[in-house]
Amino acid sequence: MYKKVKQYALSHGFTVEEKEGLIYGTMNGFFFSIHQDPTTLAKHTVHLWVKENNMTAVPAIADFLNQCTGKHKYLQSASYSGTRVTAEFQGLGFKWQKLYTPCLDAFLQEFTAYCQSNNLVSCCESCGAESGLSLYQVETVEHMLCPSCYANASDSFQRRAEEISRKGSGNIIGGIVGALLGSVLGVIVWVLIYQLGYISGIAGLVMVICALKGYEILGGHLSKTGIIISCVISIVMLLIAEQVCVGLEIYDVYKDYAEITFFDAFKSVPEFLEEPELKAAVIYDIVIGYLLMAVGAWGTVRQALKNSSGKTKTRLVTQVTNTGSAGRY
Ligand SMILES: [Zn+2]
């Protein structure tokens, strides 16, 4: 989490959940959340949940947000859904280190003051109810919901999870074709890099990513079976790629002395590998290739397993009591 934003939050008595990248609190009586971007330090999503109070005529909230984006330098965009405000902040340019956190604060101050003076009320994101509200985190997104909307929402998450698990392995034949095509791309990259005289291991990474992507595209869904198939195909194709490279080298050397085709050279590779020096070089290439393949597969596999497990991480962050002007009448 960005240190300056964290310090700002703590000094204002807001709650900081460092591990979840989440800050929340109340300003001018209105509840808000600040979500830290996982990859960029000075990038945050701010949410507030408000609606117009029936008793008061309120100038359009969206218009006010538009003015805010013009005024606050690091507010990249702000939108209003009718119940939820989403404001995206990102520190860009030269001076953001100094000005970013004050900008975030200025927006929160200004917007909550606006909510207060226009008698807006805190509300459920889904139905607009004003009581029994709680902040939930679903995956990594914050939602303010009332108890019955939360019950509905968790039902639909459950259904989505069941749907994913029902999809099973997808179309295995299509997936295998996709993985083969993807890995052939990797083989081409491998051979090209080898020809240029570089360590071709990096192509191992390309190969497994292409194979997994290929399986997903033609198989419709990357299941555990799909991951195993794609990885096995990649492992075999890497050996073939290396054999093609060595075969090409042998062909290059012998084509001027003997009547050989590339295919003869390709078949003769195992014989040539009895020579220790060549064998060591080939093993080195393959080991590097497999290491980088593991690196390439890791991210995709982790994501795919997370998706196919069908478990949506949902948690109650905090109950939100008596915020907004509703409590002050
Ligand atoms: Zn609701």
Side-chain angles (χ1 to χ4, degrees), residues 123-131 133 144-150:
C123 65
C124 166
E125 178 182 325
S126 179
C127 73
E130 294 164 28
S131 57
L133 303 174
M144 175 116 83
L145 298 167
C146 70
S148 70
C149 287
Y150 176 68

Side-chain angles (χ1 to χ4, degrees), residues 161-179:
E162 277 161 15
E163 220 167 84
I164 288 172
S165 67
R166 221 176 315 133
K167 263 200 281 180
S169 306
N171 173 359
I172 293 187
I173 302 294
I176 291 174
V177 172

